[in-house]
Amino acid sequence: MRLVADLGRERVVALVRTIISARRESILANKNGSANIRNGTSREELLSELSNELAALGRAEMNSGVRRVINATGVVIHTNLGRAPLSEKAVKAMTDAAGNSTIEYDIEKGGRGARGPRAVSLLKSLTGAEDALVVNNCAAAALLTLSVFAQGREVIVSRGELVEIGGDFRIPDVLARSGAVLREVGTTNRTHLRDYEDAINDRTAMILKVHPSNYRITGFTKTPATSELTALAHESGLLFYEDAGSGALIDLSPYGIKGEPVIHDIVEAGADVVSFSGDKLLGGPQAGILAGKTDVINKLRKDPFYRALRVDKTITAALEATLAAYSAGEPLDELPALRMLSRSPAEIRKRSENFVTGLSARMGDVPNLRADLSDGISAVGGGASPDASIGTTLIELQDSELSEAQLEMELRLAEIPVIARIESGRVILDLRTVGESEEAELIEILAGIGQRA
Ligand SMILES: *Cc1c(COP(=O)(O)O)cnc(C)c1O
């Protein structure tokens, strides 16, 4: 039995016991038995019901593991689906580093070395910062920075930037947990330089600027430029820290991704330290990157908290390979997230047309499944550029026998799960987020669903 091979004998026995005892209890609870032992329920029927239950439980258990999926949602940096897909080189680097590797060993000297110095030097050259440090994620980067530099002291933040980024990252909570005291200034839509100026006192440690990420205030708005805030901070002997969030290393506005600050510009504007994620617009592994002035980064590196937040050898290797794509000048081709974001609507249209042609050829006559093309919009996701408009082509699926919810579920429970979305009664696939090498697999999965007896 396949289940035994997948889950191990003991686990399957435990599941069988769970099912049998649940059935026993429900039989006992229904003394007249109508719901569970219907008149005429044969031993065979009962066994087959229980074996279906076992299969479903076993499947759910296997599906609860981390599995590869095909992301057909059109959301490029999908937090539930693992954000940025890694480049081939990053995956190889991770695999190579997985055994023993030089994470803290200096080959040239033949002894202990710094931790991941190449990632740091790549980060320095790509951001223009004097030094850099890599931790587990951007939340860790913010927590570390605030606790090292602002514990027991005040941090000035604009009311327009007290944001929540995906459920559990809320700026006021992170500040509180790090021991810093939030000093909010300005209003939701407008904060002036003088608001910051007026709030400075002898308990102030820093000015914090937070990228609003997944939301935008539009209309009658104002917020000082980073350069104005760094100038004010430095005149007053304060630190300036910007949490940039998604972390674009290059300008992505030509691809419809607007309002994402480029890290190099923030450093150039005088920020003492800036933090951003590795797995959002940067297109690499989950990591939180801190780039900034030598003395600031050094102090963070020496703090015991850093030791608890640092990243492992495989992440360091993947990050190095990802950053190397930028320094080689090839990020749009090499990094899947940037490749997906930068493909023109016309390219996606062409791919979608070829895909539908390939699908019809594979399915032959009397297909249950119909695929039509329509114009639509892809999303960046990952807390970036909520108003970006990236034109795309949608593949709308309709099955003559399955409802849209059933069809969506068939896709989700396929051998390689396909994650689609439902929009106005149709199951929708957006090839922008499907790898070119995944198209053939996707056609097989769809043909399997469309041709069932
Ligand atoms: C996404 C984001 C974070 C959290 O980053 P993680 O890498 O998910 O921990 C923090 N701050 C901002 C501004 C963000 O956009």
Side-chain angles (χ1 to χ4, degrees), residues 83 137-139 165 169 210-211 213 243-246 277 279-280 287 382-383:
R83 290 197 181 156
N137 52 25
C138 193
I165 293 143
F169 186 88
V210 182
H211 183 49
S213 300
D243 180 13
S246 33
S277 296
D279 54 356
K280 293 182 179 172

Side-chain angles (χ1 to χ4, degrees), residues 156-314:
I156 308 175
V157 192
S158 159
R159 289 197 168 89
E161 298 172 3
L162 293 174
V163 294
E164 169 179 314
I165 293 143
D168 39 17
F169 186 88
R170 311 176 93 195
I171 291 296
D173 297 350
V174 174
L175 270 156
R177 195 66 185 84
S178 66
V181 179
L182 169 62
R183 179 69 192 257
E184 25 181 306
V185 296
T187 61
T188 307
N189 57 328
R190 287 172 73 85
T191 303
H192 305 273
L193 193 62
R194 63 165 188 276
D195 294 326
Y196 287 90
E197 239 173 308
D198 292 346
I200 295 174
N201 63 60
D202 53 12
R203 294 178 306 278
T204 312
M206 69 164 70
I207 294 177
L208 166 64
K209 184 175 169 69
V210 182
H211 183 49
S213 300
N214 47 9
Y215 108 122
R216 290 286 184 274
I217 299 173
T218 56
F220 186 55
T221 62
K222 182 171 169 57
T223 174
T226 292
S227 56
E228 293 177 276
L229 291 176
T230 56
L232 174 63
H234 297 154
E235 273 164 30
S236 323
L238 305 174
L239 211 67
F240 176 85
Y241 164 35
E242 181 156 341
D243 180 13
S246 33
L249 289 181
I250 53 173
D251 179 17
L252 294 169
S253 60
Y255 311 102
I257 299 156
K258 304 244 174 5
E260 285 302 321
V262 178
I263 301 300
H264 196 280
D265 296 342
I266 298 173
V267 171
E268 203 168 83
D272 296 291
V273 58
V274 49
S275 61
F276 50 101
S277 296
D279 54 356
K280 293 182 179 172
L281 287 178
L282 193 145
Q286 180 190 304
I289 296 161
L290 286 152
K293 307 244 164 90
T294 308
D295 50 344
V296 172
I297 298 293
N298 249 333
K299 198 151 179 223
L300 294 171
R301 190 181 281 122
K302 290 207 179 96
D303 193 88
F305 210 8
Y306 163 67
R307 180 64 177 71
L309 300 174
R310 72 185 193 185
V311 292
D312 89 320
K313 58 193 175 184
T314 58

Side-chain angles (χ1 to χ4, degrees), residues 399-420:
D399 189 282
S400 53
E401 287 162 18
L402 303 177
S403 71
E404 68 272 11
Q406 285 170 325
L407 178 56
E408 183 271 342
M409 189 184 74
E410 289 277 335
L411 285 165
R412 192 157 31 85
L413 297 180
E415 188 76 19
I416 301 161
V418 177
I419 313 302

